[in-house]
Amino acid sequence: MRFVQGASGAALSVCVFLALSTGSSQTVKVPPSQAAERWRDVSMEAYRQHLEALSTLVGACAKARSVKGCDPTQIGPDDRVSIVNGSRTELRLIRYGWLRVLFSKAQDADQTAKADSPAKRSGGSGQNPARNGAKDPAQAEPATSQLLKDAKLRLERDLAQSHQPVAPAPDHAQEAAVLRQVLAGPEYRGLQQANVRESMLEKFGTWLNRLFESAVNFKTRSAWVGRALVWGFIVAVCVALAWSLMRLERKWRVRLTPDMDMPAPGAASARDWQLWLEDAQRAANSGLWREAIHFVYWAAISRLESRRLWPADRARTPREYLALVDAGDPRQPGLSQLTHTFERVWYGGRDAGESDYKSAENLATALISAGSRTGAAGLPLAQEGGAR
């Protein structure tokens, strides 16, 4: 239910405040209990009873016109009415501040205006009073008695409106269906909220448009200056674009260099790993087990290095090769065992037999097979600089 105040009620409130601004008023003393309770929650029936009581108070105040008969504290707190509107329950706050102000003003008697002659009001000069700033009696403020009558009519009108049925709230189903149909169109699909990058680009585009617009306007006054600004901006953009492309090309060229360059002479991968294996087999057939283990070790290193698992370096030691492999790499244990066998036999001068060679050959074969399965990407390895 909507409590809509009529035009006469609005005029009544305006007149009350105008009367307070021009006339003398008495300060309203509100008890602490009422000051703390600004409003109270009431039902529709309690709200109607309050309106009837207020109408009776206004009538009594209009007759008495005294401090006791027009006490603003008798009005009570504002009402917050619970209104059932279909399946919803709404709360509407009804304020009575305008009535408290009127009661405070009604404690004083009406001031009767003296009916002076037009000549006296104009100072005997015969001039128009409106020119001297005097108020027209027809536009004078209504008396407090008339305001009390209007207040009683307003309360009675509110009471009559409270008995009317509550109008159901519109559901706007048709409008919602049309809106959903419009938003389901192809032009609204994939819409997202603009992010910071898009906002900055939009601001830059707006600034750029204003810059060109100002350049065009300036060109009309000084043709050569505007032309110089436009061509200077175009040249600056072209230079920046060329510089960016050069840097990008250099970056990609540096990135592709390790894949395009051949291994340095003397590196393990400079010689094909299959040739290392052939040398190992020939040495094993001749009974040269130490040389066979030496060749089979470098066959495994050549295979792993050819897969770009580490940069080729001819000065790297077996321990440094082992340090390049990450601890979580599944090939690390096999390479570690093969390295220990190679160092013990080749650098340590230990004698080796056929069993030592077979064990080293099996380890190398497993490493070579793992390198073939992983491909060029390989598995995670530690950085060379950090390993050293």
Side-chain angles (χ1 to χ4, degrees):
M1 178 178 182
R2 300 172 55 188
F3 294 91
V4 182
Q5 305 299 340
S8 60
L12 174 62
S13 302
V14 172
C15 294
V16 169
F17 284 102
L18 289 176
L20 280 178
S21 61
T22 55
S24 61
S25 61
Q26 183 177 356
T27 303
V28 180
K29 297 182 179 179
V30 182
S33 59
Q34 183 176 345
E37 186 182 4
R38 295 185 178 182
W39 66 78
R40 60 179 180 178
D41 294 326
V42 296
S43 62
M44 181 60 70
E45 184 62 28
Y47 168 65
R48 296 190 184 108
Q49 295 177 2
H50 195 188
L51 288 179
E52 294 175 356
L54 291 179
S55 180
T56 304
L57 287 176
V58 171
C61 176
K63 294 179 181 179
R65 299 298 298 278
S66 61
V67 176
K68 183 178 180 181
C70 300
D71 188 3
T73 59
Q74 302 179 32
I75 299 175
D78 299 335
D79 292 333
R80 191 167 68 171
V81 188
S82 300
I83 302 175
V84 180
N85 190 353
S87 60
R88 299 182 304 173
T89 301
E90 302 178 2
L91 296 176
R92 301 292 177 87
L93 183 60
I94 312 299
R95 302 183 183 274
Y96 303 109
W98 61 274
L99 190 57
R100 298 187 187 95
V101 174
L102 180 58
F103 268 44
S104 177
K105 179 62 180 176
Q107 294 177 0
D108 300 331
D110 294 340
Q111 297 180 358
T112 57
K114 297 180 180 180
D116 297 337
S117 62
K120 185 175 181 181
R121 288 196 303 269
S122 60
S125 59
Q127 298 178 357
N128 190 355
R131 296 180 180 178
N132 297 330
K135 293 183 179 180
D136 190 358
Q139 300 178 355
E141 300 164 358
T144 307
S145 300
Q146 183 62 36
L147 294 177
L148 289 173
K149 293 179 181 180
D150 295 340
K152 188 174 180 63
L153 292 176
R154 176 177 174 177
L155 293 173
E156 293 175 354
R157 185 168 54 251
D158 292 345
L159 180 60
Q161 191 178 21
S162 66
H163 290 280
Q164 297 178 1
V166 179
D171 54 355
H172 303 289
Q174 184 177 0
E175 292 82 354
V178 173
L179 184 59
R180 285 193 296 268
Q181 183 178 1
V182 172
L183 295 178
E187 61 273 14
Y188 292 101
R189 294 177 183 174
L191 292 181
Q192 297 179 356
Q193 187 175 3
N195 51 26
V196 179
R197 178 177 175 273
E198 294 176 352
S199 301
M200 296 301 296
L201 289 177
E202 184 178 0
K203 291 180 180 179
F204 177 74
T206 303
W207 172 81
L208 199 61
N209 293 334
R210 292 178 180 176
L211 179 63
F212 279 111
E213 184 180 358
S214 60
V216 172
N217 295 335
F218 191 72
K219 182 180 178 181
T220 58
R221 297 190 297 269
S222 301
W224 67 272
V225 175
R227 191 177 296 110
L229 289 176
V230 173
W231 283 104
F233 179 79
I234 295 176
V235 171
V237 171
C238 293
V239 171
L241 182 60
W243 181 75
S244 301
L245 291 176
M246 291 175 59
R247 288 182 56 87
L248 185 62
E249 188 271 339
R250 183 179 302 176
K251 183 186 298 183
W252 279 104
R253 185 173 57 186
V254 171
R255 182 178 298 180
L256 294 175
T257 298
D259 295 336
M260 298 174 62
D261 291 346
M262 297 298 295
S269 58
R271 192 166 185 262
D272 191 77
W273 62 274
Q274 294 176 348
L275 298 178
W276 288 105
L277 279 182
E278 292 177 359
D279 293 341
Q281 291 174 0
R282 282 195 295 267
N285 293 334
S286 301
L288 304 175
W289 306 116
R290 294 181 67 253
E291 287 77 3
I293 294 175
H294 171 264
F295 290 137
V296 81
Y297 170 79
W298 287 111
I301 295 298
S302 175
R303 179 58 175 169
L304 296 177
E305 189 172 278
S306 64
R307 286 300 183 181
R308 305 298 184 188
L309 298 179
W310 54 63
D313 187 0
R314 60 182 179 180
R316 190 177 293 119
T317 64
R319 287 287 178 173
E320 291 175 341
Y321 280 118
L322 181 61
L324 290 176
V325 184
D326 188 76
D329 195 315
R331 293 165 296 188
Q332 199 272 345
L335 183 60
S336 176
Q337 187 176 357
L338 180 60
T339 301
H340 290 316
T341 302
F342 170 67
E343 289 179 338
R344 184 178 69 254
V345 172
W346 188 256
Y347 295 109
R350 301 278 184 92
D351 294 332
E354 183 179 1
S355 60
D356 297 328
Y357 168 73
K358 291 296 182 181
S359 177
E361 185 181 22
N362 293 334
L363 293 173
T365 302
L367 292 173
I368 292 173
S369 300
S372 300
R373 288 194 302 269
T374 55
L379 294 175
L381 296 178
Q383 296 295 333
E384 181 181 3
R388 290 185 178 181

